[in-house]
Amino acid sequence: MLYIVWSVIYLPVDIGELGEMTIPQILRLFLWEGNNHALWYLCGTVIGFIITCVLLKFLKPKQVFIIALLFLVIGTVKSTYSTAVSQLFGISLPDYLGSRNGLFYGFPYISLGMLIAKSDKKGIFTKRKSLFVGFITSIILLAVEGCLFVIHFKTTSTILWLSVLPCTYYFFVILLNTHIQLGKSFSLTIRKMSTLMYVSHSLFITVFRVFSSHLVLFILVVFATAIFSLVVIKLSEIKQISFLRFLY
């Protein structure tokens, strides 16, 4: 529902480009690529969730995760690593099916969440020191990976990185093992705000794009989306316009 609602909201921005596309291209855009905006994350999550659930019917969680890792590696090689592969081996790898979607991006991270949920019940996340060591190590690996492929090989794609997966794992598990006291009302508001800020920020980027400075653009978008989110959440509490809750 969230994906459909915001796809409709973005239609005025997309209408010019959509008018030049064929029906198959439009279907691919909305059903596979997840639109040209931040909405790809919602579409990718749905697709990744479906793939994970279907595989869990036939395979064990660890087996599903291994398959997901293979897709992450394939996606990374044919996108972020493709320039390096071309320079080292003279092989041109087309980014077939794209990389920022539910198969190569959503599926690995959804399966990671599934594995964490399954493993957490077994109480294996008790050594906080090893978690922090793993997190710091993965950050260092990400820095090395980024420098190698961006600075040295001059990659034009920075969508997928292998080291981000362990980095995400350790960071998330550290948070799971950290007790943070927050009021229920405040927590729900922050959760709603995070969703609204994410799905709406592309609109504000379009509005404030006239500013050449990336830093100024970033600050303006952050403040604008935060204010917009708070206003929408507050207005959605009014009975007559409670339909605004469908925005988050």
Side-chain angles (χ1 to χ4, degrees):
M1 179 61 71
L2 196 62
Y3 179 60
I4 293 173
V5 168
W6 278 95
S7 292
V8 172
I9 291 174
Y10 276 104
L11 271 179
V13 179
D14 298 331
I15 198 69
E17 182 180 352
L18 292 176
E20 300 176 357
M21 298 172 66
T22 63
I23 297 299
Q25 289 175 328
I26 293 175
L27 291 175
R28 176 189 171 99
L29 177 66
F30 284 101
L31 300 181
W32 178 253
E33 297 177 1
N35 208 323
N36 290 325
H37 309 284
L39 304 185
W40 73 266
Y41 181 86
L42 299 177
C43 183
T45 300
V46 172
I47 293 174
F49 186 80
I50 292 173
I51 295 173
T52 303
C53 287
V54 170
L55 290 180
L56 277 175
K57 298 290 185 181
F58 308 98
L59 302 171
K60 296 179 180 179
K62 288 185 178 180
Q63 293 173 325
V64 174
F65 182 64
I66 291 173
I67 294 174
L69 279 181
L70 291 176
F71 276 97
L72 176 62
V73 171
I74 293 171
T76 304
V77 170
K78 70 186 183 65
S79 58
T80 307
Y81 290 8
S82 62
T83 304
V85 172
S86 177
Q87 292 180 23
L88 293 173
F89 306 105
I91 301 174
S92 179
L93 298 176
D95 195 9
Y96 186 66
L97 292 179
S99 302
R100 196 169 60 175
N101 52 49
L103 182 60
F104 299 107
Y105 207 133
F107 176 34
Y109 283 91
I110 291 294
S111 66
L112 174 63
M114 172 272 299
L115 194 64
I116 293 175
K118 300 285 187 182
S119 301
D120 189 39
K121 296 176 183 178
K122 300 177 182 178
I124 64 173
F125 302 134
T126 56
K127 299 180 179 179
R128 292 178 60 84
K129 183 178 180 180
S130 61
L131 292 176
F132 280 100
V133 170
F135 178 65
I136 294 172
T137 302
S138 62
I139 288 291
I140 294 173
L141 289 175
L142 177 58
V144 172
E145 189 179 21
C147 290
L148 178 63
F149 290 98
V150 174
I151 298 176
H152 182 70
F153 288 109
K154 310 293 184 183
T155 183
T156 57
S157 175
T158 56
I159 300 300
L160 290 172
W161 301 96
L162 295 181
S163 52
V164 171
L165 190 78
C167 182
T168 303
Y169 167 79
Y170 285 112
F171 182 64
F172 184 70
V173 175
I174 287 172
L175 289 181
L176 283 181
N177 285 270
T178 303
H179 182 62
I180 304 175
Q181 289 189 349
L182 291 175
K184 182 178 180 181
S185 177
F186 180 73
S187 298
L188 287 175
T189 300
I190 293 298
R191 178 177 180 175
K192 295 172 184 177
M193 279 188 67
S194 66
T195 300
L196 273 167
M197 291 179 71
Y198 180 79
V199 295
S200 68
H201 79 269
S202 288
L203 282 178
F204 290 96
I205 289 176
T206 302
V207 173
F208 296 124
R209 189 168 284 165
V210 291
F211 298 94
S212 58
S213 170
H214 292 295
L215 178 60
V216 173
L217 177 62
F218 174 77
I219 294 173
L220 286 174
V221 170
V222 168
F223 276 98
T225 53
I227 294 171
F228 169 77
S229 301
L230 286 171
V231 170
V232 169
I233 293 170
K234 198 65 180 177
L235 290 176
S236 67
E237 296 173 358
I238 301 175
K239 185 177 181 180
Q240 290 77 6
I241 52 175
S242 60
F243 60 84
L244 289 176
R245 69 181 183 274
F246 288 109
L247 294 177
Y248 57 83

